[in-house]
Structure formats: structure tokens, C-alpha cells
């Protein structure tokens, strides 16, 4: 047992290690949190009853049920129709399309979790961008930012609001009503969107997507794999004779039986069974996969091939993004057995911190990776459905549940209305709503568990347990006291500004949900030290913990568009840092107007 005087220090050290694990990505966030909880249990800073008590918190259950209701709106085509409407209203003009996306984010995200909104609208954005020859990079970041701003408008718009409310309730604050935060949040969201309307065209770059690069309009390099089958006319020929070492096409590796040859010489002769990892510019890659000069297509009547690929008359090349709950995350590509299991071929993977040359059998997929896959539409759909991937370009199968859309819309409207009228707490209404959409077939029972972002739920439960350790050890009170000491002599308004700024900065580095749980008890302690109502400080955490714009890692929707839009890390900072400052200033001005910093 650790001495009581040392308990805050030990909990603090565990928190620092947890932050480091988040930032350095040593483990997935949910795994890192559970390891931290385990350490607290081992050291006696938490007991089993305290850990189990977090399951009585209504926030995670509410969030899980809202995931299901959001999926119903997605599966029944409600958000798809919105995407079609935006395209028709925009008429091919970039500015009008930007306005449509900003309005969509503000109107939809208050009622639907913003992650599925972005995932469903991304294909529509990419399709419209291709049709009207607009770079998707001009649109996807504003889409993500608009859904984040829209999510803060209601208590169910983002899991952060629900979570902060749950922690605040545990600390004795009265529950927030459904629309209590809506008025200032709408003003903040409108200010943010007006800024984006003028700033996004100036600050955002023109970048091509993975598919555009692959189809020859860019000059980046890509990797593909080729196989020399039985009867190939290239067997016995050198790599040079096979035109695989012509300066723009190179063989990175050649696998033969149990041997591996890195950067084989042009004079090396091919043998039946050889597997080649070929590296080429995008334009040459298209030639490589379409011309018969190297035998990629049938060269004779008997359809035998010289280098075997999956090229067929009915195949399509589709971009699919890896979701946070995908079963493919952190699994080597060789374990997926794509050809044997799904009949598809992985052409390329897009990730910002990995070189294309590294995409070999040991390459592990991560959340936000964009896969360029080739196969039939049915094969790709099966691959995506099985692994919780989302096709973001051509190949996405249309839903056949449009006739159930009124049920899904009525369910979410009923939950919102009844919660606003205080007929029943939101957690009870969310459970009823989830049951309705499953029972009516808006979401199939086998899809229900896939719609819930389980890593987020586990992360929340773990962070709730850690927040108990912070309170019981006295660390939360010490941090609150330290903040007050730091701002000694400051007014409550200035302390509110400081805490919102700190929460906003922390959100850019680690999970927004983790920040919400950690800072809520701290800011309540700050308010109590100052002798003022803690409610405005709690609202500040709600808004700041969601307002992650400066990096692609602070919020899930940013991570989703990061690879899909072919962005660089600095693209988020150029538009996001000014937007962060605008939201911070708006919060500092508006929150005290709606929740006065009056003495208790």
C-alpha cells in the first residue's frame, strides 16, 4: 500500500505515462487506458468496487445506443440523400459546395454522431469533386470541422458532451438539459463556419486523392505485386527483357521459394512461381497494369498470362478507409489473405507516416489508412463489410432500406423531443430508440454490435476509473489548487479563459474523451476554489474538448479526412489554429453571458 501522501504523485506519474502512450502511440488508446487502470489496481490506488462502479455511469451506455441510432440514419440512406441534395444545390461551384457542406455539418451533427456523418458524406464529396473537377482537399477539412462545430450544439451531438455531463453529475452538479448549451454553441458554430467560408479557399491546398494519383494525373510512386504463373512466356527472361527495369519501373523485391532478393539486378532471370514487388510512378503503374507488353493481360487465345494479376473485365478500383473499430487494424497484410479469402488485390496504401515501399506482407494497417483495392464490386463490399471499412469512392453499394428512413428519422426526433421535454432521462430514451431501430430492421441485429465504437466505450470506462483515482488520491484537488495559484489574483473570467485554453491544447494531443474526463473534475475544483458556479467551467470543457482543429489526431473525423484528402499535417494547422483561437475567444465571451460567474 502506498502512503497517502505519495498517492497523488503516483497517480500523476501514471497519467504522464498514459499521455506519453497516447502521443507516442505505443498502444491503442483503449489498451493504454486499461493498462493504466490495471496499474492503479495493482498499486492499491483503486479497488475493484471503484472500477466496477463506473459501469453505473449512464454516459457510455447512452453513447453506445446513440451509435446504433446514428447507424440507422446511415443505413437507411438519410445522410446519402443529404449528400445528393448538396451536389444538386451546389451546381458545380466550389464556393456553393463549401457552403452546402458547412450547413450540412451544422444541421446534421447536432443529432447524429459526427464520425458516421463524415464517413457517409466523404464518398459524396469525392464524387462531386471528381464530377466538377474540384480538389477534394478543398472540401474535406471544412466538412470535418463543420461536423465538430455542429456536434457541440446539443447534448447528444458528440460523446464529449454526454461524458462531461455524466462526470459532472457524479460530482453533484445538476444534469444538463438537451438544449441547455444550444444557444451559445450555435453562435460559436456560425462564427467558425463564416471564418471557414472565407479562409478555407485561401489556406487549403489543391491535392489529388489516392485514386487520382493512381489513374495517372499525379507523379507519386506506388507499389504492386506480380506473380509469374505456370506457362508464362517471361519465365527464363531477365527483368530487363521483361521491361521491369526501364528506369521508371523497378523491382523492389523478388520472392522465390523461401528466398528473398532485395533490389534484384536487371540481369536476374524470372522463374515460374516468382513473386515481384514492383515500384513505379502512378502513370507508369497504369501502363504496367493495362498493357500486354509485359504480359499483364491475356496474350493468347487460351487466356494464359505472363504475369498474373487480378485484372478482369468486371473489376473496379476502389478507395476504402480503415475505421477505428476495424478488425484489420494492427494486423499484418499477410494475415488478411485478401486474394484467397476475398478475391481482391491490394494495390496501394495511403498513410502519412509510412513510405509506400514499406507496404509488404508485414505492413500493419492503422485507423485512417486509405486502401486502394481492386476486385469486383461484390468482392470489395464483402471485404469492407467484414472488416468495418468504408468505401469512399466508386464501388459503394447502395442501401436497400430507404423505405425505413421515416422510422429512423422519427426515432431520433422522438428521442430529442422527449429528452427536451424531460419526459425521461436521455439514457433511457437512447436505449428505447436503439431498440426501435433494431426491431424495425433499420439496423440488422448482426450489424448492431459493429455500429458501436467499442474502443471508444472501453476508453471511456477506463478514463472514468482513472478520474475516480484522481479524486480519491487528491490529485484533482491539487491540480485545481495549482491552477488557482498560477492565476492568483485573476478574476473568475480570466481563470475560465485559462482553463478553456488548456483543455483545447490538450485535446489536440490526446483523445477528446480522455481530456473531457480528466479536466471536468479539475475545473469543478477550480470553480469551487474561486467560490463561483462550476457550470460555466464545465460548459467550457464541453466546447473545448470537442474543438480540435489544429491536428489530425485530436478528433476522429480529422483522422478520417487526413488520408482521404491526401492532406499534410501542416494543412490542419494553417486553418485549424486560427479556428481554435476564434472558438476559444467566442467561448470566453459567450459562456459567462449564459452562465454568469456568480459567487456561490
Amino acid at each position: 500500500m502506498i502512503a497517502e501522501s505519495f498517492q497523488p504523485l503516483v497517480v500523476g506519474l501514471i497519467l504522464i505515462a498514459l499521455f506519453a502512450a497516447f502521443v507516442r502511440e505505443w498502444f491503442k488508446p483503449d489498451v493504454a487506458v486499461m493498462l493504466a487502470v490495471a496499474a492503479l489496481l495493482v498499486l492499491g490506488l483503486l479497488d475493484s468496487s471503484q472500477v466496477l462502479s463506473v459501469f453505473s455511469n449512464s454516459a457510455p451506455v447512452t453513447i453506445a445506443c446513440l451509435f446504433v441510432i446514428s447507424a440507422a440514419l446511415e443505413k437507411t440512406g438519410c445522410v446519402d440523400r443529404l449528400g445528393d441534395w448538396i451536389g444538386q444545390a451546389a451546381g458545380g461551384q466550389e464556393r456553393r459546395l463549401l457552403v452546402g457542406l458547412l450547413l450540412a455539418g451544422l444541421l446534421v451533427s447536432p443529432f447524429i454522431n459526427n464520425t458516421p456523418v463524415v464517413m457517409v458524406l466523404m464518398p459524396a464529396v469525392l464524387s462531386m469533386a471528381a464530377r466538377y473537377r474540384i480538389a477534394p482537399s478543398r472540401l474535406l477539412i471544412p466538412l470535418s470541422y463543420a461536423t465538430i462545430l455542429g456536434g457541440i450544439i446539443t447534448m447528444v451531438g458528440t460523446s464529449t458532451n454526454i461524458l462531461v455531463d455524466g462526470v459532472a453529475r457524479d460530482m453533484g452538479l445538476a444534469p444538463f438539459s438537451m438544449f441547455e448549451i444550444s444557444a451559445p454553441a450555435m453562435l460559436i458554430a456560425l462564427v467558425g463556419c463564416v471564418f471557414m467560408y472565407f479562409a478555407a479557399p485561401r489556406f487549403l491546398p489543391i491535392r489529388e486523392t489516392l485514386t487520382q494519383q493512381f489513374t495517372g494525373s499525379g507523379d507519386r510512386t506506388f507499389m504492386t505485386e506480380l506473380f509469374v504463373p505456370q506457362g508464362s512466356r517471361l519465365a527464363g527472361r531477365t527483368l530487363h527483357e521483361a521491361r521491369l527495369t526501364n528506369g521508371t519501373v523497378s523491382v523492389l523485391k523478388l520472392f522465390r521459394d523461401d528466398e528473398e532478393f532485395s533490389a534484384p539486378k536487371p540481369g536476374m532471370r524470372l522463374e515460374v512461381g516468382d513473386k515481384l514487388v514492383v515500384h513505379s510512378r502512378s502513370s507508369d503503374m497504369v501502363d504496367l497494369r493495362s498493357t500486354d507488353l509485359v504480359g499483364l493481360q491475356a496474350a493468347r487465345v487460351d487466356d494464359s498470362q505472363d504475369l498474373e494479376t487480378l485484372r478482369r473485365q468486371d473489376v473496379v478500383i476502389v478507395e476504402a478507409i480503415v475505421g477505428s473499430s476495424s478488425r484489420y487494424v494492427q494486423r499484418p497484410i499477410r494475415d488478411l489473405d485478401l486474394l484467397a479469402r476475398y478475391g481482391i488485390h491490394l494495390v496501394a496504401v495511403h498513410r502519412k507516416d509510412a513510405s509506400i515501399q514499406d507496404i509488404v506482407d508485414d505492413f500493419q494497417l492503422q485507423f485512417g489508412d486509405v486502401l486502394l483495392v481492386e476486385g469486383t464490386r461484390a468482392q470489395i463490399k464483402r471485404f469492407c463489410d467484414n472488416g468495418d471499412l468504408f468505401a469512399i469512392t466508386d464501388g459503394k453499394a447502395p442501401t436497400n432500406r430507404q423505405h425505413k428512413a421515416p422510422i429512423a428519422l422519427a426515432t431520433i426526433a422522438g428521442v430529442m423531443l422527449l429528452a427536451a421535454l424531460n419526459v425521461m432521462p436521455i439514457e433511457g430514451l437512447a436505449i428505447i430508440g436503439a431498440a426501435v431501430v433494431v426491431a424495425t430492421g433499420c439496423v440488422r441485429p448482426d450489424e448492431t454490435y459493429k455500429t458501436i465504437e467499442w474502443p471508444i466505450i472501453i476508453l471511456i470506462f477506463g478514463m472514468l476509473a482513472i478520474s475516480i483515482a484522481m479524486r480519491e488520491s487528491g490529485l484533482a484537488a491539487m491540480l485545481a489548487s495549482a491552477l488557482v495559484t498560477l492565476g492568483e489574483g485573476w478574476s473568475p473570467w480570466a481563470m475560465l479563459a485559462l482553463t478553456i485554453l488548456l483543455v483545447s491544447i490538450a485535446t489536440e494531443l490526446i483523445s477528446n474523451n480522455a481530456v473531457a474526463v480528466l479536466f471536468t473534475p479539475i475545473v469543478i475544483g477550480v470553480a469551487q476554489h474561486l467560490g463561483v458556479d462550476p457550470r460555466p467551467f464545465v460548459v467550457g470543457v464541453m466546447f473545448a474538448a470537442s474543438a480540435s482543429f489544429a491536428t489530425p489526431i485530436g478528433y476522429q473525423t480529422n483522422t478520417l479526412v487526413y488520408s482521404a484528402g491526401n492532406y499534410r499535417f501542416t494543412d490542419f494547422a494553417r486553418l485549424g489554429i486560427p479556428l481554435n483561437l476564434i472558438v476559444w475567444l467566442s467561448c470566453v465571451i459567450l459562456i459567462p453571458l449564459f452562465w454568469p460567474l456568480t459567487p456561490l
Side-chain angles (χ1 to χ4, degrees):
M1 178 65 68
I2 296 174
E4 186 174 342
S5 58
F6 287 101
Q7 288 183 3
L9 174 62
V10 176
V11 174
L13 291 174
I14 291 175
L15 276 178
I16 291 171
L18 180 60
F19 290 159
F22 283 151
V23 175
R24 304 290 298 179
E25 297 182 349
W26 291 331
F27 302 97
K28 292 176 64 178
D30 51 319
V31 175
V33 168
M34 296 315 297
L35 287 173
V37 172
L40 292 169
L41 283 167
V42 169
L43 296 172
L45 298 169
L46 278 176
D47 59 43
S48 300
S49 62
Q50 288 174 323
V51 174
L52 292 176
S53 70
V54 303
F55 293 98
S56 65
N57 191 298
S58 62
V61 175
T62 306
I63 293 166
C65 292
L66 289 172
F67 274 131
V68 177
I69 297 173
S70 295
L73 293 166
E74 172 197 335
K75 301 290 184 183
T76 55
C78 295
V79 185
D80 278 333
R81 293 182 185 178
L82 177 63
D84 295 338
W85 175 82
I86 293 172
Q88 294 172 0
Q93 298 181 26
E94 182 179 329
R95 284 279 188 174
R96 293 175 63 179
L97 191 53
L98 177 61
V99 170
L101 291 174
L102 295 176
L103 288 176
L106 291 185
L107 295 175
V108 177
S109 289
F111 313 105
I112 310 176
N113 183 273
N114 46 20
T115 300
V117 171
V118 171
M119 292 191 74
V120 173
L121 284 180
M122 267 200 302
V125 172
L126 293 172
S127 176
M128 287 183 286
R131 185 185 315 145
Y132 302 126
R133 297 184 178 180
I134 300 170
S137 57
R138 309 278 281 181
L139 304 170
L140 288 177
I141 281 181
L143 170 63
S144 175
Y145 289 177
T147 58
I148 292 173
L149 291 169
I152 67 175
I153 292 176
T154 67
M155 288 304 300
V156 299
T158 174
S159 58
T160 306
N161 290 353
I162 300 171
L163 193 52
V164 172
D165 178 51
V167 175
R169 287 192 207 184
D170 288 345
M171 297 191 67
L173 267 69
F176 283 83
S177 63
M178 176 62 68
F179 299 108
E180 183 176 344
I181 61 175
S182 296
M186 282 191 290
L187 293 174
I188 292 169
L190 286 173
V191 170
C193 286
V194 169
F195 166 76
M196 281 191 285
Y197 175 78
F198 291 103
R202 178 183 296 270
F203 291 149
L204 292 180
I206 297 176
R207 296 250 171 77
E208 296 169 324
T209 64
L210 188 59
T211 298
Q212 290 171 332
Q213 292 168 358
F214 181 80
T215 54
S217 57
D219 59 358
R220 288 199 182 183
T221 51
F222 288 87
M223 179 279 297
T224 192
E225 292 184 353
L226 305 174
F227 176 72
V228 183
Q230 188 71 35
S232 170
R233 62 188 171 121
L234 297 183
R237 295 190 181 185
T238 66
L239 294 174
H240 179 72
E241 292 171 341
R243 302 188 183 185
L244 295 175
T245 56
N246 60 5
T248 59
V249 178
S250 61
V251 179
L252 299 176
K253 293 180 183 292
L254 188 150
F255 298 92
R256 178 176 296 163
D257 297 327
D258 294 331
E259 292 186 275
E260 175 182 328
F261 302 91
S262 296
K265 301 296 184 183
M268 186 172 185
R269 295 190 180 277
L270 295 168
E271 295 181 5
V272 171
D274 285 351
K275 185 176 75 171
L276 298 84
V277 179
V278 179
H279 192 228
S280 171
R281 290 203 307 257
S282 55
S283 55
D284 295 306
M285 184 73 75
V286 173
D287 294 336
L288 188 65
R289 297 177 67 83
S290 62
T291 179
D292 62 359
L293 293 178
V294 291
L296 292 182
Q297 297 213 27
R300 293 183 293 278
V301 177
D302 62 359
D303 283 344
S304 62
Q305 295 178 328
D306 297 310
L307 288 174
E308 195 172 82
T309 66
L310 299 180
R311 195 72 180 179
R312 296 183 298 273
Q313 293 299 318
D314 57 346
V315 301
V316 292
I317 294 179
V318 173
E319 288 184 26
I321 195 164
V322 179
S324 59
S325 60
S326 172
R327 60 194 297 266
Y328 301 147
V329 170
Q330 291 191 337
R331 291 183 60 187
I333 285 176
R334 67 168 177 273
D335 289 354
L336 303 183
D337 202 10
L338 302 182
L339 180 58
R341 187 175 299 173
Y342 303 104
I344 65 173
H345 182 72
L346 179 64
V347 179
V349 178
H350 192 80
R351 184 193 299 169
K352 294 304 176 182
D353 58 354
S355 169
I356 199 73
Q357 292 96 321
D358 296 331
I359 302 173
V360 292
D361 286 350
D362 290 329
F363 186 87
Q364 292 188 350
L365 298 175
Q366 295 181 6
F367 167 54
D369 284 351
V370 177
L371 312 184
L372 197 62
V373 292
E374 182 186 49
T376 67
R377 295 178 188 276
Q379 289 169 332
I380 293 174
K381 182 181 184 302
R382 187 162 62 90
F383 169 65
C384 292
D385 290 347
N386 191 46
D388 292 331
L389 273 68
F390 199 87
I392 57 176
T393 56
D394 186 34
K396 180 174 179 287
T399 178
N400 59 357
R401 304 178 211 172
Q402 291 93 336
H403 62 288
K404 297 183 183 292
I407 299 174
L409 289 170
T411 300
I412 188 63
V415 168
M416 299 290 291
L417 179 62
L418 295 176
L421 296 175
N422 293 320
V423 174
M424 184 184 294
I426 182 61
E427 52 267 27
L429 292 169
I431 292 172
I432 294 171
V436 168
V437 296
V438 173
T440 55
C442 297
V443 180
R444 296 197 310 265
D446 63 300
E447 295 172 332
T448 303
Y449 295 102
K450 291 183 179 180
T451 64
I452 299 173
E453 298 280 354
W454 290 109
I456 292 179
I457 302 301
I458 297 299
L459 173 70
I460 289 171
F461 277 127
M463 291 307 304
L464 288 171
I466 291 173
S467 71
I468 292 175
M470 290 177 60
R471 294 200 300 269
E472 295 298 320
S473 68
L475 177 63
M478 288 178 62
L479 291 173
S481 178
L483 272 176
V484 173
T485 302
L486 177 66
E488 187 174 359
W490 290 15
S491 67
W493 179 85
M495 287 302 301
L496 175 66
L498 175 62
T499 55
I500 293 174
L501 181 62
L502 291 176
V503 174
S504 181
I505 293 171
T507 299
E508 301 295 352
L509 302 175
I510 60 176
S511 163
N512 57 304
N513 287 315
V515 169
V517 175
L518 291 177
F519 274 87
T520 300
I522 294 173
V523 300
I524 290 175
V526 168
Q528 291 171 345
H529 273 83
L530 296 173
V532 298
D533 182 9
R535 214 164 184 81
F537 286 82
V538 173
V539 175
V541 173
M542 285 185 186
F543 292 168
S546 292
S548 173
F549 308 114
T551 71
I553 60 175
Y555 209 93
Q556 279 198 340
T557 56
N558 290 348
T559 307
L560 285 171
V561 302
Y562 184 28
S563 288
N566 194 21
Y567 290 111
R568 295 174 184 165
F569 200 96
T570 53
D571 294 334
F572 288 84
R574 276 200 298 269
L575 186 64
I577 290 176
L579 184 57
N580 266 338
L581 293 173
I582 288 171
V583 170
W584 170 71
L585 184 60
S586 300
C587 289
V588 171
I589 294 172
L590 292 172
I591 289 176
L593 297 179
F594 289 87
W595 296 273
L597 294 163
T598 53
L600 291 173

